[in-house]
Amino acid sequence: MGGSKICRSDLQPASAPSITTSTSLTHTVNGSHEFKITGYSLSKGLGIGKYIASETFEVGAYQWAIYFYPDGKSIEDNAAYVSLFIALASEGTDVRALFELKLLDQSGKERHKVHSHFGRMLESGPYTLKYRGSMWGYKRFFKRTSLETSDYLKDDCLSIHCIVGVVQSRTEGPQTYSIAVPPSNMGEQFGRLLESGKGTDVSFEVDGEIFAAHKLVLAARSPVFRAQLFGPMKDRHSECIKIEDMEAPVFKALLYFIYWDVLPDMQELTGLNSKWALTLMAQHLLAAADRYGLDRLRLLCEVQLCEEIAINTVATTLALAEQHHCLQLKAVCLKFIALPENLRAVMQTDGFEYLNVSCPSVLTELLEHVAKVGEHSLSVTRYPNEVLDGSDVNGRRVMQRIQI
């Protein structure tokens, strides 16, 4: 019998095995919050183990809060120390994080009292919070007698700065390409189309001014324009439509958003620079956005008005929020008015008189907020006189005309 010869090369793999790689990346998602405590001396005697809490704030998809114990957290310390903690305020299990608690020196010497995980090697790694309510901090953060004679306390006020760094990990595989994708500029392209005036097929008369636009663009962006221009009840005179109960600058801003998909620069658009006038413009634009079914624009105006709350405009803004179902704006207004230092001044404005007539049911809700503030308030301070520039403490009536 003849044997077959096996070549050595037959035992070798056809090719070398492929090698793949992956990388685990661990980093922190950081966020900060500043917590001011006014009326510190009035908080003393609150009781051992009882705290004053900051508003919750979000870092790394979790909610957090700062807890300050004016009489300390532990009975054994007999109120000799103040305690300071950062707490997990939302649901979470084994949340790993780094923290920094800083009591700010208010003398300007930058001699802050700092306890920090950041910028140093940690023997046991980041701190782990097991569940909602878990805390990190110090029972003996500062001796009370020393604190009260220090530069950290000024005008009976303390200022605390907190940083949270939530630890997150992810694994990445090999990237075999690098393609730079520019951001979308569709809004800019449509905006340039409006500016050029090319291809316009509909015009609007608003308060004596004429605005040209494109039916298809308006219909694509607004269900109201869609019905008006292409629906079964479309306007027979759709080549030039007269808009009632709206001012020209407001309609101009509305068109700008429809094409650009961003808010215009109100100061540039109107030529006005007073905060009162810009707030009034945002109020008008919110009403216009609701009228034409532009939900995103309505929310953007709601955000802007939340940021511009002031004594002489808050009542008119609250009426607007009630009429257009802006729940978060309504809540911010109620909370602002209910503060003891604001309530009396707001009640003296013409806007409050309008609120009383147009939305009487809101006053019941306001009374509930005032009662809650009264239950938890440590003191009632004198209300401020400052109002938006260009106006006196009597404010303005709701939806006043914009003078340009």
Side-chain angles (χ1 to χ4, degrees):
M1 291 179 59
S4 61
K5 187 176 180 181
I6 300 175
C7 297
R8 184 175 182 84
S9 61
D10 292 339
L11 301 176
Q12 299 288 338
S15 61
S18 62
I19 299 174
T20 60
T21 63
S22 63
T23 303
S24 173
L25 302 174
T26 300
H27 65 290
T28 61
V29 177
N30 297 342
S32 63
H33 184 80
E34 187 162 323
F35 182 32
K36 291 186 177 180
I37 299 170
T38 61
Y40 162 79
S41 61
L42 297 173
S43 70
K44 293 193 297 182
L46 186 64
I48 295 172
K50 294 185 178 180
Y51 57 82
I52 298 170
S54 70
E55 290 281 358
T56 58
F57 56 98
E58 183 173 326
V59 181
Y62 295 99
Q63 294 291 319
W64 305 87
I66 301 169
Y67 287 177
F68 176 75
Y69 297 77
D71 293 327
K73 193 172 186 294
S74 299
I75 295 175
E76 58 266 24
D77 288 331
N78 198 27
Y81 295 87
V82 297
S83 303
L84 186 62
F85 286 82
I86 177 73
L88 179 63
S90 60
E91 297 300 330
T93 304
D94 294 333
V95 181
R96 302 175 72 235
L98 305 178
F99 302 104
E100 178 175 289
L101 288 170
K102 181 190 295 183
L103 184 61
L104 299 182
D105 176 5
Q106 300 188 73
S107 69
K109 299 176 183 176
E110 302 275 326
R111 296 175 182 172
H112 312 305
K113 181 176 177 59
V114 182
H115 292 281
S116 179
H117 285 149
F118 294 91
R120 62 188 180 90
M121 292 295 295
L122 300 173
E123 294 181 3
S124 56
Y127 191 79
T128 300
L129 296 103
K130 296 292 185 181
Y131 46 80
R132 179 178 183 175
S134 297
M135 297 182 179
W136 176 87
Y138 294 87
K139 293 180 181 179
R140 297 180 174 181
F141 185 78
F142 213 119
K143 196 167 185 178
R144 233 168 51 163
T145 54
S146 300
L147 175 63
E148 292 168 4
T149 57
S150 71
D151 290 329
Y152 302 110
L153 183 65
K154 182 179 181 182
D155 298 328
D156 209 25
C157 173
L158 296 173
S159 189
I160 298 163
H161 188 267
C162 170
I163 301 176
V164 178
V166 178
V167 178
Q168 295 184 352
S169 297
R170 72 178 189 276
T171 300
E172 291 184 352
Q175 183 172 316
T176 58
Y177 60 87
S178 177
I179 302 173
V181 180
S184 171
N185 65 345
M186 184 182 295
E188 182 178 351
Q189 291 173 339
F190 276 93
R192 299 302 178 200
L193 178 64
L194 177 66
E195 289 179 350
S196 72
K198 293 179 180 178
T200 58
D201 54 0
V202 65
S203 60
F204 298 88
E205 182 183 346
V206 187
D207 202 21
E209 291 190 38
I210 302 297
F211 298 90
H214 306 80
K215 291 181 181 179
L216 284 174
V217 176
L218 299 181
R221 296 283 279 156
S222 163
V224 177
F225 277 128
R226 185 159 57 249
Q228 186 176 21
L229 298 172
F230 294 103
M233 302 298 289
K234 67 180 181 180
D235 195 323
R236 293 182 180 180
H237 305 287
S238 60
E239 290 186 3
C240 186
I241 300 171
K242 190 168 184 177
I243 303 292
E244 304 287 353
D245 303 323
M246 188 178 298
E247 297 179 45
V250 179
F251 189 78
K252 185 176 181 180
L254 186 79
L255 276 184
Y256 186 97
F257 176 82
I258 286 175
Y259 280 81
W260 289 86
D261 200 36
V262 294
L263 280 174
D265 184 323
M266 298 295 191
Q267 186 172 337
E268 181 179 332
L269 180 74
T270 64
L272 304 172
N273 58 13
S274 74
K275 290 182 180 179
W276 171 80
L278 297 177
T279 296
L280 184 62
M281 181 67 179
Q283 291 176 338
H284 279 272
L285 191 54
L286 185 149
D290 194 36
R291 174 175 172 176
Y292 285 98
L294 297 168
D295 292 338
R296 184 167 178 271
L297 176 58
R298 183 174 63 84
L299 291 171
L300 287 170
C301 292
E302 189 174 353
V303 169
Q304 184 170 335
L305 289 169
C306 283
E307 294 172 347
E308 295 175 354
I309 295 292
I311 293 293
N312 67 329
T313 57
V314 66
T316 58
T317 297
L318 177 54
L320 190 73
E322 175 71 3
Q323 292 160 359
H324 296 279
H325 312 291
C326 301
L327 299 182
Q328 293 194 61
L329 178 59
K330 177 180 175 180
V332 170
C333 290
L334 287 171
K335 186 175 181 179
F336 179 89
I337 297 173
L339 293 174
E341 59 266 34
N342 296 336
L343 180 60
R344 190 185 306 174
V346 173
M347 291 178 66
Q348 292 176 358
T349 65
D350 289 343
F352 190 82
E353 181 182 345
Y354 175 87
L355 178 68
N356 187 23
V357 173
S358 61
C359 306
S361 62
V362 175
L363 296 184
T364 302
E365 297 180 61
L366 177 58
L367 286 173
E368 293 175 357
H369 276 71
V370 171
K372 290 178 182 177
V373 171
E375 290 173 2
H376 297 93
S377 177
L378 292 174
S379 65
V380 177
T381 59
R382 184 173 180 271
Y383 66 87
N385 291 319
E386 56 267 25
V387 294
L388 290 178
D389 45 1
S391 173
D392 60 19
V393 76
N394 290 323
R396 297 291 191 271
R397 291 192 180 276
V398 72
M399 303 304 286
Q400 183 174 344
R401 288 186 60 83
I402 303 169
Q403 303 294 333
I404 299 179

